[in-house]
Amino acid sequence: MKIRLGLVVLMVAAIVAAPRCFAADSSAPRVGLVIGNSKYPDADKPLSQAVSDAREFADELKRAGFDAELAEDLSGDAMRRAFDRLYQRTKPGAAALVFFSGFGIQSGRQSYLIPVDAQIWTEPDVRRDGVALESVLNELNSRGASVKIALVDASRRNPFERRFRSFSAGLAPVIAPSGSLVMYAAALSAVVTDNDSAHSPFVSALREEVRAPGLSAEEAFNRTRTAVTRASRGEQVPWISSSLADDFVFVPGAATADKPTAEKPAAATAPVEAAKPALAPPEAKPPQAAEAKPASSGGDDDKLVLALASDPTVKSLTAQIADKPSDGNAYYRRGQVYASKGAYRTAIKDFDEAIRLNGKDVEAYNNRCWARTVIGELEPALADCDQALLLRPNFVDALDSRGLLHLKSGRDKAAIADFDAALKVNPRLTSSLYGRGLARKRIGLTSEGEIDLTTAKKLDPNIGKEFAGYGVK
């Protein structure tokens, strides 16, 4: 499955309906990793601000009570070890923060953080040598972090792009788990140039705002965006995406009112044109094929689509589509956002468009298979998964999606075969471990099934709730 979510409809509905409150973050563990990469051999010269910005921001985090590790000019192996140490320090309920300044590349609809020794000549090299931001956030989530924050100052014109035939500048929107707050130093797909000052305008503004007592992280980031936009006269506009349910505060205390707060987007009064009302996901039911039914229509999904109309990622992607209706990538990314929030039928419509524009979009086929499986449209879902695997044999995400489909259909042996194949590619794929465990128990392999379920729950304590949200128990 390309997109991972549990009872997202209930969570999003709660976020929409409930007033925001301050989380008890002052007592929760706080861990951070701050990376400044400046000395890239492929660049004409070292980045002038990456290391100094990282040092300054690491100091700010330590003053705010974070157990923050500072790392500079990391190779690929060193970056992976640094992230592994962060994961080990992340305990259930913790607030985990990642700051990265250096070069970043978007490839395959994801943003990758690039180590200094990366050998990048083709786009597959990006996925081999880079660290995917979405993977970092998902791993922090699986470790139980209640708040996940990513600050990325990597919207630079990098030295690798001239080697690609097809290249998208800047960074891509991130599909982050619930409880995440992500901020880029510049707008999606935009690039900025370092100036000659000791620190970037982004970190200079951010450092000031996170010091304010009682100011929520989301408001601090909004103020940072306003300050950077004004300082650059609109040439650099940071991008923010938030799915926090509670306000996280860097410095506890009474909120200050000495600065005007950045205006937040007004609630949408109607869905955007391309995001027509979708249908609610099915209730969790036993996984027999005869009981798999399409979701019934209702007002809950209408509310989701209305709420998402003002989501920064949805707004940005909708604007891209309006400007260029042939942009299949924008349809695909927006479909991911809708699906991750539970607006499955609206997501399927976007995947439809992505596939219409590019009949070989293997990831769109896989995600449409997954979304159709969740709402019980099993026959067309199977055709989508089969097509994805025809286009890309042994595609681990499609194997995982088809395994879920077989599980919902009651074809347990077929599900085990697909999950086995997925786990050969990625032995730590939690959803395949859990799905195989359920299937094994159904066919009488109780002890083997329990081992799979226990292993999956250790990797992701919420995996059971996720499958229950799919209608599989």
Side-chain angles (χ1 to χ4, degrees):
M1 291 165 282
K2 182 66 175 179
I3 305 171
R4 302 279 314 286
L5 63 153
L7 302 176
V8 290
V9 175
L10 294 177
M11 291 190 293
V12 173
I15 292 170
V16 171
R20 294 174 65 85
C21 60
F22 284 97
D25 52 74
S26 59
S27 59
R30 297 178 169 204
V31 294
L33 173 61
V34 180
I35 300 174
N37 281 353
S38 65
K39 297 177 181 178
Y40 291 86
D42 287 291
D44 294 333
K45 60 181 180 179
L47 297 175
S48 60
Q49 299 165 338
V51 170
S52 59
D53 281 348
R55 291 173 179 174
E56 287 290 327
F57 196 70
D59 288 341
E60 288 298 330
L61 289 181
K62 292 173 182 177
R63 280 192 284 269
F66 277 80
D67 173 15
E69 177 184 349
L70 171 64
E72 301 173 8
D73 291 324
L74 296 185
S75 66
D77 287 342
M79 271 185 68
R80 283 182 279 276
R81 289 196 299 269
F83 278 112
D84 284 341
R85 289 193 296 273
L86 175 65
Y87 303 148
Q88 292 296 326
R89 291 185 289 129
T90 302
K91 307 302 180 184
L97 183 148
V98 173
F99 173 94
F100 178 84
S101 183
F103 284 127
I105 299 177
Q106 65 164 293
S107 176
R109 296 160 174 153
Q110 290 197 52
S111 293
Y112 290 82
L113 314 179
I114 306 301
V116 295
D117 66 343
Q119 297 294 313
I120 296 174
W121 292 92
T122 65
E123 288 204 63
D125 295 338
V126 177
R127 296 185 284 276
R128 180 198 66 201
D129 288 354
V131 176
L133 180 59
E134 288 183 9
S135 297
V136 170
L137 292 169
N138 285 328
E139 182 64 25
L140 292 172
N141 188 59
S142 74
R143 299 287 176 139
S146 59
V147 174
K148 296 148 295 272
I149 299 175
L151 296 160
V152 182
D153 188 0
S155 302
R156 298 177 170 94
R157 184 72 66 187
N158 70 72
F160 312 108
E161 65 182 74
R162 59 183 175 270
R163 302 170 181 172
F164 301 160
R165 293 180 184 176
S166 174
F167 179 81
S168 297
L171 301 177
V174 61
I175 307 301
S178 178
S180 300
L181 180 57
V182 180
M183 187 176 192
Y184 294 161
L188 299 175
S189 299
V191 294
V192 295
T193 302
D194 289 354
N195 55 34
D196 295 328
S197 62
H199 299 289
S200 68
F202 173 66
V203 169
S204 295
L206 180 64
R207 184 179 55 187
E208 293 299 319
E209 298 301 343
V210 299
R211 292 175 178 174
L215 191 66
S216 72
E218 193 168 328
E219 184 60 21
F221 291 3
N222 282 330
R223 290 185 178 188
T224 299
R225 177 172 56 189
T226 300
V228 174
T229 302
R230 288 174 178 171
S232 66
R233 297 185 178 182
E235 293 184 3
Q236 180 178 350
V237 182
W239 177 84
I240 303 171
S241 178
S242 175
S243 61
L244 292 182
D246 297 306
D247 283 327
F248 176 82
V249 178
F250 283 98
V251 180
T256 57
D258 57 333
K259 293 185 180 181
T261 58
E263 293 185 5
K264 293 189 177 182
T269 57
V272 292
E273 183 176 351
K276 296 178 181 178
L279 301 178
E283 296 289 332
K285 292 180 180 296
Q288 284 78 20
E291 294 188 24
K293 299 178 182 179
S296 58
S297 61
D300 289 344
D301 202 73
D302 293 356
K303 293 177 182 178
L304 282 177
V305 174
L306 284 170
L308 288 170
S310 60
D311 177 88
T313 303
V314 171
K315 288 177 67 177
S316 174
L317 293 170
T318 300
Q320 289 184 43
I321 291 169
D323 184 59
K324 187 180 179 182
S326 62
D327 189 347
N329 179 61
Y331 277 110
Y332 172 83
R333 294 295 295 186
R334 193 176 67 177
Q336 282 191 309
V337 177
Y338 284 137
S340 71
K341 302 299 185 182
Y344 303 114
R345 292 187 181 274
T346 303
I348 289 169
K349 291 178 182 178
D350 274 352
F351 297 142
D352 288 344
E353 283 299 302
I355 291 168
R356 182 183 67 81
L357 292 164
N358 177 11
K360 295 184 178 181
D361 192 333
V362 62
E363 293 178 355
Y365 276 112
N366 169 59
N367 279 280
R368 191 170 69 177
C369 168
W370 174 83
R372 283 174 164 171
T373 297
V374 172
I375 64 174
E377 294 181 352
L378 301 182
E379 289 188 14
L382 180 59
D384 281 341
C385 272
D386 287 346
Q387 182 63 25
L389 288 164
L390 180 65
L391 290 168
R392 187 186 298 174
N394 296 319
F395 180 23
V396 64
D397 292 332
L399 288 167
D400 190 50
S401 295
R402 195 171 67 179
L404 174 66
L405 187 156
H406 288 317
L407 201 61
K408 288 198 71 168
S409 302
R411 296 189 290 267
D412 300 318
K413 291 183 178 179
I416 290 171
D418 277 338
F419 290 138
D420 280 342
L423 289 165
K424 285 182 180 179
V425 180
N426 182 1
R428 289 173 57 86
L429 188 58
T430 312
S431 52
S432 284
L433 276 170
Y434 193 85
R436 188 176 69 178
L438 292 177
R440 281 176 164 177
K441 289 188 68 176
R442 288 185 193 172
I443 65 171
L445 299 175
T446 304
S447 60
E448 294 92 333
E450 286 295 344
I451 291 171
D452 279 344
L453 296 177
T454 300
T455 304
K457 289 176 182 177
K458 286 182 179 178
L459 292 170
D460 183 356
N462 297 315
I463 190 66
K465 292 181 180 179
E466 178 180 317
F467 268 72
Y470 300 151
V472 179
K473 296 182 180 179

